[in-house]
Amino acid sequence: MVLAAGLGKRMRPITDTLPKPLIKIADRTLLDRGLDALAAVDVEKAIVNVHYLPDQIVAHVADREAPRIVISDERDGLLDSAGGIVKALPLIGTEPFYILNADTFWIDAGQPNLARLALAWDAARMDILLMLSALETVTGHSGSTDFLLADDGRLSRSRGDPAGVIYAGAAIVNPRIFEGAAAGPASLNRYFDAAIATGRLHGMVMRGRWITVGTPDAIAPAEAAVAEALAAAP
Protein backbone atom coordinates (compact mmCIF):
# COMPACT_ATOMS: atom_id res chain seq x y z
CA MET A 1 0.00 0.00 0.00
CA VAL A 2 1.26 3.45 -0.97
CA LEU A 3 0.14 6.26 1.33
CA ALA A 4 -0.62 9.18 -0.99
CA ALA A 5 -3.53 10.97 0.67
CA GLY A 6 -1.72 13.67 2.64
CA LEU A 7 -2.20 17.40 2.23
CA GLY A 8 1.45 18.32 1.70
CA LYS A 9 1.06 21.62 3.53
CA ARG A 10 4.79 22.20 3.97
CA MET A 11 5.25 22.05 0.18
CA ARG A 12 3.03 25.06 -0.47
CA PRO A 13 2.67 26.95 -2.77
CA ILE A 14 3.50 23.98 -5.06
CA THR A 15 0.82 21.84 -3.44
CA ASP A 16 -1.85 24.51 -3.80
CA THR A 17 -2.53 22.99 -7.22
CA LEU A 18 -0.54 19.72 -7.25
CA PRO A 19 -0.69 16.80 -4.80
CA LYS A 20 2.70 16.22 -3.22
CA PRO A 21 3.12 12.67 -4.59
CA LEU A 22 3.07 14.11 -8.12
CA ILE A 23 5.95 16.53 -7.53
CA LYS A 24 8.79 15.61 -9.87
CA ILE A 25 12.36 15.05 -8.74
CA ALA A 26 14.75 14.68 -11.68
CA ASP A 27 11.81 14.23 -14.09
CA ARG A 28 10.17 11.41 -12.10
CA THR A 29 7.28 11.90 -9.69
CA LEU A 30 7.69 10.92 -6.07
CA LEU A 31 4.78 8.51 -6.46
CA ASP A 32 6.30 6.83 -9.50
CA ARG A 33 9.61 6.42 -7.73
CA GLY A 34 7.86 4.42 -5.01
CA LEU A 35 5.84 2.41 -7.51
CA ASP A 36 9.01 1.73 -9.50
CA ALA A 37 10.63 0.32 -6.34
CA LEU A 38 7.65 -2.02 -5.89
CA ALA A 39 7.75 -3.08 -9.54
CA ALA A 40 11.47 -3.85 -9.20
CA VAL A 41 10.67 -6.55 -6.62
CA ASP A 42 7.75 -7.94 -8.65
CA VAL A 43 4.89 -6.56 -6.56
CA GLU A 44 1.83 -7.15 -8.73
CA LYS A 45 -0.74 -4.90 -7.04
CA ALA A 46 -0.37 -1.58 -5.25
CA ILE A 47 -3.19 0.11 -3.37
CA VAL A 48 -2.87 3.90 -3.50
CA ASN A 49 -5.04 5.95 -1.18
CA VAL A 50 -6.20 9.40 -2.26
CA HIS A 51 -7.79 12.39 -0.56
CA TYR A 52 -6.24 15.73 -1.56
CA LEU A 53 -6.63 16.63 -5.26
CA PRO A 54 -7.46 12.96 -5.83
CA ASP A 55 -8.45 13.17 -9.49
CA GLN A 56 -4.90 14.13 -10.45
CA ILE A 57 -3.45 11.03 -8.79
CA VAL A 58 -6.15 8.74 -10.18
CA ALA A 59 -5.51 10.03 -13.70
CA HIS A 60 -1.74 9.78 -13.28
CA VAL A 61 -1.75 6.08 -12.35
CA ALA A 62 -4.56 5.05 -14.69
CA ASP A 63 -2.29 3.60 -17.35
CA ARG A 64 0.26 2.05 -15.03
CA GLU A 65 0.62 -1.71 -15.58
CA ALA A 66 3.35 -2.69 -13.10
CA PRO A 67 2.28 -2.77 -10.42
CA ARG A 68 -1.44 -2.77 -11.12
CA ILE A 69 -3.01 0.13 -9.23
CA VAL A 70 -6.11 -0.10 -7.03
CA ILE A 71 -7.42 3.18 -5.59
CA SER A 72 -8.61 3.47 -2.00
CA ASP A 73 -10.76 6.59 -1.98
CA GLU A 74 -10.65 8.81 1.12
CA ARG A 75 -12.33 11.87 -0.38
CA ASP A 76 -14.91 11.86 2.41
CA GLY A 77 -12.30 12.36 5.11
CA LEU A 78 -8.56 12.15 5.66
CA LEU A 79 -7.79 9.07 7.75
CA ASP A 80 -4.05 9.44 8.51
CA SER A 81 -1.61 6.59 7.93
CA ALA A 82 -3.15 3.76 9.94
CA GLY A 83 -6.74 4.83 9.33
CA GLY A 84 -6.13 4.69 5.59
CA ILE A 85 -4.75 1.18 5.90
CA VAL A 86 -7.72 0.02 8.00
CA LYS A 87 -10.10 1.34 5.33
CA ALA A 88 -8.13 -0.53 2.64
CA LEU A 89 -7.88 -3.85 4.51
CA PRO A 90 -10.53 -5.55 2.32
CA LEU A 91 -8.28 -4.77 -0.66
CA ILE A 92 -5.10 -5.88 1.10
CA GLY A 93 -6.04 -9.36 2.26
CA THR A 94 -4.48 -11.44 5.03
CA GLU A 95 -0.82 -11.72 4.01
CA PRO A 96 1.98 -9.40 5.16
CA PHE A 97 2.31 -6.42 2.84
CA TYR A 98 4.57 -3.49 2.05
CA ILE A 99 3.71 0.05 3.16
CA LEU A 100 5.38 2.97 1.36
CA ASN A 101 5.12 6.68 1.97
CA ALA A 102 4.47 8.43 -1.34
CA ASP A 103 6.48 11.53 -0.48
CA THR A 104 9.92 10.05 0.14
CA PHE A 105 12.18 7.80 -1.92
CA TRP A 106 15.58 6.21 -1.94
CA ILE A 107 18.32 5.13 -4.31
CA ASP A 108 19.33 1.50 -3.90
CA ALA A 109 22.94 0.41 -3.66
CA GLY A 110 23.16 -3.17 -4.88
CA GLN A 111 20.25 -5.49 -4.12
CA PRO A 112 16.93 -3.59 -3.94
CA ASN A 113 16.19 -2.60 -0.38
CA LEU A 114 12.60 -3.85 -0.63
CA ALA A 115 13.96 -7.29 -1.55
CA ARG A 116 16.30 -7.14 1.45
CA LEU A 117 13.33 -6.14 3.63
CA ALA A 118 11.36 -9.17 2.45
CA LEU A 119 14.31 -11.48 3.16
CA ALA A 120 14.61 -10.02 6.67
CA TRP A 121 10.91 -10.47 7.43
CA ASP A 122 10.14 -13.12 10.06
CA ALA A 123 6.47 -13.37 11.00
CA ALA A 124 7.30 -15.50 14.03
CA ARG A 125 9.23 -12.61 15.63
CA MET A 126 7.79 -9.51 14.00
CA ASP A 127 4.54 -7.65 13.57
CA ILE A 128 6.20 -4.72 11.77
CA LEU A 129 9.58 -4.47 10.03
CA LEU A 130 10.71 -0.93 9.23
CA MET A 131 13.24 0.12 6.64
CA LEU A 132 15.68 2.50 8.32
CA SER A 133 18.35 4.95 7.25
CA ALA A 134 21.48 6.10 9.02
CA LEU A 135 21.83 9.88 9.31
CA GLU A 136 24.91 9.92 7.10
CA THR A 137 23.01 8.48 4.13
CA VAL A 138 20.11 10.95 4.21
CA THR A 139 19.34 13.95 2.02
CA GLY A 140 16.73 16.52 3.07
CA HIS A 141 16.08 15.36 6.62
CA SER A 142 16.12 18.22 9.11
CA GLY A 143 14.76 16.48 12.18
CA SER A 144 16.21 14.09 14.73
CA THR A 145 16.37 10.30 14.77
CA ASP A 146 13.34 8.05 15.27
CA PHE A 147 14.50 4.72 16.69
CA LEU A 148 17.33 2.91 18.42
CA LEU A 149 18.23 -0.39 16.76
CA ALA A 150 19.27 -3.24 19.05
CA ASP A 151 21.69 -5.98 18.01
CA ASP A 152 18.79 -8.40 17.55
CA GLY A 153 16.96 -5.98 15.23
CA ARG A 154 14.34 -4.81 17.71
CA LEU A 155 13.48 -1.14 17.86
CA SER A 156 12.78 1.35 20.62
CA ARG A 157 12.09 5.08 20.43
CA SER A 158 15.32 7.07 20.19
CA ARG A 159 13.87 10.30 21.61
CA GLY A 160 16.35 12.22 19.45
CA ASP A 161 19.43 10.20 20.43
CA PRO A 162 22.05 10.94 17.71
CA ALA A 163 23.01 7.27 17.81
CA GLY A 164 19.57 6.44 16.42
CA VAL A 165 18.28 5.84 12.92
CA ILE A 166 15.50 7.31 10.79
CA TYR A 167 12.35 5.58 9.58
CA ALA A 168 12.81 5.56 5.82
CA GLY A 169 9.15 5.44 4.81
CA ALA A 170 8.90 1.75 3.89
CA ALA A 171 7.84 -1.23 5.95
CA ILE A 172 6.39 -4.72 5.96
CA VAL A 173 3.37 -5.19 8.20
CA ASN A 174 1.24 -8.14 9.24
CA PRO A 175 -2.39 -7.05 8.68
CA ARG A 176 -3.53 -8.94 11.76
CA ILE A 177 -2.33 -6.02 13.92
CA PHE A 178 -5.32 -4.04 12.61
CA GLU A 179 -7.91 -6.63 13.63
CA GLY A 180 -10.75 -4.95 15.46
CA ALA A 181 -9.47 -1.45 14.69
CA ALA A 182 -12.18 1.19 14.63
CA ALA A 183 -12.78 3.12 11.45
CA GLY A 184 -11.54 6.69 11.48
CA PRO A 185 -8.31 8.69 11.62
CA ALA A 186 -5.36 6.97 13.30
CA SER A 187 -1.58 7.13 13.06
CA LEU A 188 0.78 4.24 12.45
CA ASN A 189 2.76 5.49 15.44
CA ARG A 190 0.12 3.91 17.65
CA TYR A 191 0.93 0.53 16.13
CA PHE A 192 4.68 1.13 16.26
CA ASP A 193 4.42 1.76 19.99
CA ALA A 194 2.24 -1.32 20.53
CA ALA A 195 4.79 -3.46 18.69
CA ILE A 196 7.65 -1.95 20.73
CA ALA A 197 5.79 -2.91 23.91
CA THR A 198 5.69 -6.56 22.83
CA GLY A 199 9.18 -6.64 21.31
CA ARG A 200 7.76 -7.12 17.82
CA LEU A 201 8.85 -3.91 16.09
CA HIS A 202 12.02 -4.65 14.15
CA GLY A 203 14.15 -2.70 11.70
CA MET A 204 16.59 -3.11 8.83
CA VAL A 205 19.07 -0.42 7.80
CA MET A 206 18.85 0.27 4.06
CA ARG A 207 21.81 0.45 1.69
CA GLY A 208 22.05 3.50 -0.54
CA ARG A 209 20.69 7.02 -0.07
CA TRP A 210 17.35 8.02 1.41
CA ILE A 211 15.84 11.26 0.15
CA THR A 212 13.02 13.26 1.68
CA VAL A 213 11.47 16.35 0.13
CA GLY A 214 9.59 18.21 2.83
CA THR A 215 9.67 21.79 1.58
CA PRO A 216 10.18 23.47 -1.81
CA ASP A 217 13.80 24.31 -1.03
CA ALA A 218 14.51 20.59 -0.58
CA ILE A 219 13.88 19.88 -4.27
CA ALA A 220 17.28 21.08 -5.52
CA PRO A 221 19.30 19.02 -2.99
CA ALA A 222 17.15 15.98 -3.82
CA GLU A 223 17.84 16.36 -7.54
CA ALA A 224 21.55 16.84 -6.83
CA ALA A 225 21.58 13.63 -4.78
CA VAL A 226 19.92 11.71 -7.61
CA ALA A 227 22.44 13.07 -10.12
CA GLU A 228 25.35 12.18 -7.81
CA ALA A 229 24.06 8.65 -7.30
CA LEU A 230 23.55 8.10 -11.02
CA ALA A 231 27.02 9.40 -11.76
CA ALA A 232 28.52 7.04 -9.21
CA ALA A 233 26.60 3.99 -10.43
CA PRO A 234 28.70 1.27 -12.08
Side-chain angles (χ1 to χ4, degrees), residues 49-137:
N49 66 340
V50 297
H51 170 78
Y52 180 65
L53 301 176
D55 293 339
Q56 291 188 44
I57 294 177
V58 172
H60 183 81
V61 301
D63 296 328
R64 178 129 195 167
E65 295 182 359
R68 177 174 60 88
I69 305 300
V70 177
I71 297 294
S72 180
D73 197 322
E74 296 178 19
R75 295 170 204 245
D76 291 341
L78 191 60
L79 296 173
D80 206 341
S81 50
I85 292 168
V86 170
K87 177 179 172 63
L89 282 177
L91 304 171
I92 292 170
T94 59
E95 296 299 315
F97 64 101
Y98 288 113
I99 298 171
L100 267 65
N101 291 344
D103 58 356
T104 61
F105 68 101
W106 64 91
I107 300 169
D108 291 316
Q111 184 181 26
N113 283 294
L114 291 185
R116 293 181 59 237
L117 202 67
L119 289 171
W121 172 256
D122 181 356
R125 296 187 300 119
M126 307 170 186
D127 287 334
I128 306 171
L129 175 63
L130 303 183
M131 190 173 84
L132 308 166
S133 177
L135 279 171
E136 59 266 25
T137 58

Side-chain angles (χ1 to χ4, degrees), residues 2 39 46 77 83 90 93 111 129-130 147-149 167 181-182 196 199 202-203 206 225:
V2 182
Q111 184 181 26
L129 175 63
L130 303 183
F147 297 101
L148 293 173
L149 178 63
Y167 173 44
I196 287 172
H202 286 241
M206 60 166 285

Side-chain angles (χ1 to χ4, degrees), residues 135-213:
L135 279 171
E136 59 266 25
T137 58
V138 166
T139 295
H141 181 72
S142 59
S144 59
T145 62
D146 299 311
F147 297 101
L148 293 173
L149 178 63
D151 290 342
D152 64 359
R154 288 187 295 175
L155 296 176
S156 58
R157 294 285 184 182
S158 69
R159 307 190 189 284
D161 189 327
V165 288
I166 298 164
Y167 173 44
I172 294 176
V173 175
N174 192 324
R176 71 178 181 80
I177 68 172
F178 301 106
E179 289 177 4
S187 171
L188 272 172
N189 279 304
R190 174 189 305 178
Y191 295 88
F192 293 169
D193 288 337
I196 287 172
T198 57
R200 295 182 64 84
L201 182 71
H202 286 241
M204 181 208 76
V205 177
M206 60 166 285
R207 296 173 183 162
R209 177 152 292 275
W210 183 64
I211 301 171
T212 180
V213 188

Side-chain angles (χ1 to χ4, degrees), residues 26 107 222-232:
I107 300 169
E223 293 190 326
V226 172
E228 180 182 350
L230 291 176

